[in-house]
Amino acid sequence: MNILILHGPNLNLLGEREPAIYGSQTLEDINNELQSRAEGYNISLRIEQSNHEGVLIDRIQENRKWADALIINPGAFTHYSYAIRDAIAAFNKPTIEVHLSDLSKREEFRKHSVLSGLENVRRIMGKGAAGYFEALDSLAIKE
Ligand code: DQA
């Protein structure tokens, strides 16, 4: 199984960025843990972080044949990028939207995700870094 993992804008600053909300683990810590779990499951990962909407869309498109599933934290693009929504709809394979924080308990503008309603997408939020690990585990178990 091949899984594409994408981290959106500002997630490169995890660990130093608002740790009370996003936790103290760095993105590197999270990626290392994902990688070691994936090896245990015999899953290949491609992991990338980008601050740019178009780069995230390019990666979804480029990996659409390679990847069997997508795990994505689109950062603030979650709330307004119809272009990322369209890319994930076109990808049309199991996708897990991960958010470190619980969007339902934050500012109004964060309560809506443009990925809502896509049949291939489910959401894990409010579990910190553990949400990414749960996402990987659930895809591995379904295989
Ligand atoms: C986030 C929540 C978003 O609202 C925010 O813009 C982020 C991170 C989360 O993981 O909780 O960058 O997606």
Side-chain angles (χ1 to χ4, degrees):
M1 187 185 207
N2 298 326
I3 302 179
L4 176 65
I5 301 184
L6 293 176
H7 306 285
N10 300 304
L11 294 167
N12 53 315
L13 298 182
L14 283 182
E16 58 179 273
R17 172 193 184 201
E18 302 180 89
I21 297 174
Y22 297 118
S24 56
Q25 275 183 287
T26 66
L27 193 60
E28 199 187 346
D29 295 334
I30 293 172
N31 289 341
N32 287 341
E33 171 74 25
L34 285 167
Q35 196 60 62
S36 79
R37 280 182 191 234
E39 278 159 27
Y41 290 128
N42 222 358
I43 289 175
S44 298
L45 300 183
R46 286 183 184 164
I47 307 181
E48 190 163 336
Q49 186 277 331
S50 178
N51 291 328
H52 304 278
E53 184 179 25
V55 172
L56 296 168
I57 293 165
D58 285 345
R59 293 302 170 265
I60 295 168
Q61 290 189 6
E62 287 159 9
N63 288 290
R64 69 186 186 279
K65 300 229 159 71
W66 178 84
D68 300 302
L70 169 67
I71 296 172
I72 184 167
N73 182 347
F77 289 138
T78 304
H79 314 298
Y80 64 92
S81 175
Y82 296 118
I84 288 179
R85 177 190 163 100
D86 286 351
I88 293 172
F91 176 67
N92 199 25
K93 293 182 198 178
T95 297
I96 305 184
E97 173 190 358
V98 172
H99 300 285
L100 297 149
S101 62
D102 181 350
L103 302 180
S104 70
K105 300 197 171 118
R106 299 193 60 200
E107 301 97 317
E108 272 314 304
F109 76 91
R110 292 189 206 273
K111 288 185 179 152
H112 180 66
S113 166
V114 296
L115 304 185
S116 297
L118 288 180
E119 283 186 2
N120 57 321
V121 179
R122 63 187 191 85
R123 185 179 307 147
I124 296 174
M125 66 181 187
K127 298 183 174 178
Y132 286 102
F133 311 142
E134 185 181 317
L136 181 69
D137 291 348
S138 73
L139 290 167
I141 286 156
K142 274 202 193 123
E143 198 190 6

